[in-house]
Amino acid sequence: MNKKTKSRIEVTFIYLFLAVMFVLIAYPLLWTVMMSINPGTNMLVTKMLPENPTLEHYKWLFTDPRSDYVIWYKNSLLVAFANAIGSVILTSLVAYAFSRYKFIGKKYGLYMFLLLQMFPALMGMVALYILLSTIGLIDSLVGLTLIYLGGQIPFNAWLVKGYFDTIPKELDEAAKMDGAGHLKIFWTIMLPLAKPILAVVALFNFMAPFMDFLLPRIVLTSPEKYTLALGLFNFINDQFSNNFTRFSAGAILIAVPIALVFLLLQRYLISGLTSGATKG
């Protein structure tokens, strides 16, 4: 087999793989979109291409008195923005300390970050519930946000620390010669140069509250405190509930704020994803 034929076969398999992945991703997404504009509420009578498409389900979510969708959306946005901003602040401070300071336990602290990432979050749910119950933050968006912030530190700090390591330390030394302290160096040099990786951290942590179901299920008990994932689950959870079309409409709208944040940060994302965790 000559080199040209081998190359064509490899390209063919690559395109076949991409085509299969496109079908696996696009088919359920298309079904969800079509279901959201189908009349009625039962999944069993919906069609891939509805004869009488309607936006009544989207209207119902925002106008019907029985729908708490707007409240769930607001809760999710509050937690998402708090999680994104808080994670960027905490992660950048922790990563800067591990990247630029020398202290006892630094090496083992990094190992601990790696170790914590090996265990699923489910293992700590009982302990987290007891902790929140002890400090009175059960059924609280504040308690939920605190768990998100603390749980994301190990992975995010390791990622950002790797990016900080790629920034020459000569910049720090030059700033120190001009009289700058660590805080000024962190604020005026490190943060501006680390915008790409911080954008990645912000996006991932903004998405988390919209996608997560398990943690809100454990922490939140009042319907008016639900996030979107937990609230939408109730559309199809009850024994006699068949609001699958409304569930689909609500699920589609989850993508709107995520897409907007992605578009806002997209100029930083590619370099951030490819440059993080390259040293350490």
Side-chain angles (χ1 to χ4, degrees):
M1 183 183 298
N2 58 43
K3 188 174 182 180
K4 187 175 182 180
T5 304
K6 184 178 179 180
S7 178
R8 287 180 178 177
I9 293 175
E10 291 176 350
V11 171
T12 301
F13 276 106
I14 290 174
Y15 277 112
L16 285 175
F17 174 77
L18 292 176
V20 171
M21 294 304 298
F22 175 79
V23 171
L24 291 176
I25 296 173
Y27 182 74
L29 179 60
L30 181 61
W31 251 112
T32 304
V33 174
M34 293 298 103
M35 191 183 299
S36 70
I37 59 176
N38 262 279
T41 59
N42 197 323
M43 181 177 63
L44 299 178
V45 298
T46 56
K47 299 179 180 179
M48 187 64 161
L49 297 175
E51 297 177 357
N52 300 304
T54 178
L55 296 177
E56 64 174 321
H57 306 306
Y58 293 94
K59 181 179 179 181
W60 183 90
L61 291 173
F62 292 98
T63 60
D64 195 287
R66 296 169 296 174
S67 172
D68 292 327
Y69 187 79
V70 176
I71 298 176
W72 301 337
Y73 216 110
K74 182 189 70 173
N75 293 341
S76 296
L77 286 174
L78 288 175
V79 175
F81 277 111
N83 191 35
I85 297 172
S87 292
V88 168
I89 295 173
L90 291 176
T91 297
S92 58
L93 289 171
V94 173
Y96 179 74
F98 275 96
S99 177
R100 291 300 195 258
Y101 289 2
K102 293 182 180 180
F103 53 89
I104 298 175
K106 174 181 177 180
K107 179 179 179 181
Y108 295 104
L110 292 173
Y111 287 157
M112 183 62 67
F113 283 169
L114 284 177
L115 183 64
L116 291 173
Q117 296 175 48
M118 298 179 185
F119 298 99
L122 182 62
M123 294 181 61
M125 289 301 176
V126 175
L128 291 173
Y129 183 87
I130 294 174
L131 176 62
L132 290 181
S133 179
T134 302
I135 61 179
L137 289 179
I138 289 292
D139 194 27
S140 168
L141 295 178
V142 175
L144 180 64
T145 304
L146 289 176
I147 293 179
Y148 280 135
L149 290 175
Q152 296 294 333
I153 287 178
F155 173 76
N156 290 335
W158 182 270
L159 190 68
V160 178
K161 187 261 180 189
Y163 195 96
F164 279 170
D165 287 345
T166 65
I167 300 175
K169 292 185 178 181
E170 288 78 6
L171 296 176
D172 301 27
E173 296 171 358
K176 289 179 181 178
M177 293 180 64
D178 292 335
H182 279 293
L183 184 60
K184 187 172 183 180
I185 293 173
F186 171 75
W187 184 258
T188 60
I189 297 177
M190 303 298 288
L191 288 187
L193 293 176
K195 284 181 181 179
I197 197 64
L198 295 179
V200 173
V201 171
L203 178 62
F204 285 173
N205 287 275
F206 183 84
M207 292 168 55
F210 288 98
M211 306 299 181
D212 186 29
F213 167 78
L214 183 60
L215 187 57
R217 178 71 171 175
I218 295 173
V219 175
L220 305 176
T221 56
S222 302
E224 65 273 11
K225 300 288 184 65
Y226 286 173
T227 56
L228 278 173
L230 183 55
L232 289 175
F233 175 72
N234 289 333
F235 280 2
I236 55 176
N237 179 44
D238 296 335
Q239 182 179 0
F240 301 104
S241 294
N242 61 349
N243 298 317
F244 288 97
T245 49
R246 293 170 182 169
F247 174 89
S248 299
I252 292 297
L253 292 176
I254 290 178
V256 175
I258 297 176
L260 292 176
V261 172
F262 177 84
L263 292 174
L264 181 65
L265 300 177
Q266 65 174 339
R267 59 176 175 166
Y268 302 115
L269 293 177
I270 300 300
S271 57
L273 288 169
T274 56
S275 300
T278 57
K279 288 187 179 182

